[in-house]
Amino acid sequence: MNSDILAKLGRRLRLGMVGGGFDSVIGETHRIAFQADGFYDLVAGAFSIDREVARRTAAALLVGGDRLYDDYREMARREAARADGIDVVVIATPPQIHQEVAVAFLSAGIDVICEKPMTRTVAQAEELAAIVAASGRLFVLTHCYSGFPMVRHARDLVRSGALGRLRMIEAEFAGGAPGVAVEPADPAERHWRFRAASMGPEAILGEVGSHAHHLMGYVSGLRPNRICARMQTFAAGREVYDNAYLAFDYPDGAVGRLWASYVAVGTQHGLSLRIYGETAALEWREEDAEYLRLRPLHGPETVLRSGQDGTSDLVARSARFRPGHPEGYPLAFANLYAEAASALVAMRTGGDPSAFTAHLPTVFDGLEGMRMIAGAAASNREDARWQPL
């Protein structure tokens, strides 16, 4: 990572969190990621709706009591008024309030890094996209798997023409660990992602399907124009879908498939991507993330390794260590935070942030994800009838 970033600003970026307390599934992952390169200081937060959890989180993270907030609206107002207020906020709440939290901070002139799915509905996503565009602020959506060096190298290969014309794009995010494959004995212990009231019965597509969907577009550069979907519920007592099969058509004749599941029993994580072109194919698996397999129509398979020479500057910058030292998920996530830091510093020092924002998932990626979910829901309701995107 660029060691001159902080020197340009003369300090670390001041960061706040909404959500992400010690009762959060994803909060600690964000903290590991944004602390990895030393670009941020966590100085404020509204960490949880449970005041005791929020208090314990702030105390453990050395956030001062005067910057621990019960309400994110108060946090946005007061931080915007401080001479040493936060530069950027991380939104790690349940997704049904992402939009209102983001709008509160954007309206206060504070940049936003937001968990996915971006909003509760397509209408909210469209409204948020318009607000972001009008605000001039940075909005980053944490589709963290696009930070893996070999995912980025896969995108470079596709753009270079190494696969020829693309024909088939296939992605899976199908896990089956005990925590998601079965419902808790006590329904009161059910996580929000398994509550239909939170994100609707299709919540699986926001929680895991959106990651696979983003990777399909990020690497291929293609956007589908039609979708059909079938969704099922297998776990006893579950009120949302826990398995989904989606098919896509693309304007140029390519086709795609996406499988999202919580009940692929025996699979720990299950994220993978395969792209087939006229002259070659590639495959990447998150559980073997240091490697990218390139299979030409003629000639032997090539196994590419993260950190080796011969990649683009972006891919090389995304791999911190020499080959043989696996980096994994936290540092892929950290790449998004590092690039966001570079963009934020450029915005504050008269530089051009576009070199960094070009690689970051944006509000428009979030909007595409919400349209995918809405299209899949409509198709499933109509017995897998094709729906336009």
Side-chain angles (χ1 to χ4, degrees), residues 79-215:
E79 288 296 320
R82 293 180 66 117
D84 62 348
I86 60 171
D87 298 292
V88 60
V89 68
V90 175
I91 302 173
T93 68
Q96 60 265 32
I97 67 167
H98 284 176
Q99 193 245 21
E100 59 193 71
V101 179
V103 170
F105 283 89
L106 292 167
S107 299
I110 295 169
D111 298 284
V112 172
I113 298 172
C114 185
E115 259 296 330
K116 36 54 54 193
M118 188 172 75
T119 57
R120 177 70 171 81
T121 66
V122 172
Q124 286 183 341
E126 290 172 341
E127 181 182 356
L128 181 55
I131 290 170
V132 170
S135 73
R137 308 315 308 176
L138 182 70
F139 183 99
V140 177
L141 193 67
T142 54
H143 277 305
C144 51
Y145 301 101
S146 62
F148 275 102
M150 288 295 95
V151 168
R152 294 173 166 198
H153 191 48
R155 183 172 69 161
D156 285 350
L157 287 171
V158 170
R159 289 182 172 183
S160 75
L163 277 65
R165 185 183 179 89
L166 302 188
R167 291 173 169 172
M168 296 166 288
I169 306 162
E170 302 203 339
E172 299 175 2
F173 203 154
V180 297
V182 296
E183 285 286 289
D186 181 0
E189 296 178 0
R190 182 182 288 142
H191 189 270
W192 61 257
R193 74 182 70 172
F194 297 114
R195 298 178 185 271
S198 293
M199 286 294 290
E202 304 85 16
I204 186 173
L205 296 180
E207 183 67 9
V208 295
S210 65
H211 277 307
H213 176 257
H214 179 256
L215 279 185

Side-chain angles (χ1 to χ4, degrees), residues 117 199 202 205-206 210 227 231 368-378:
M199 286 294 290
E202 304 85 16
L205 296 180
S210 65
I227 185 173
M231 290 179 261
E368 284 191 347
M370 294 310 302
R371 287 173 173 163
M372 176 272 291
I373 295 169

Side-chain angles (χ1 to χ4, degrees), residues 261-284:
S261 186
Y262 290 131
V263 291
V265 173
T267 303
Q268 293 300 305
H269 195 62
L271 177 63
S272 65
L273 176 70
R274 298 176 298 279
I275 300 183
Y276 301 88
E278 290 180 328
T279 58
L282 58 80
E283 179 178 5
W284 178 83

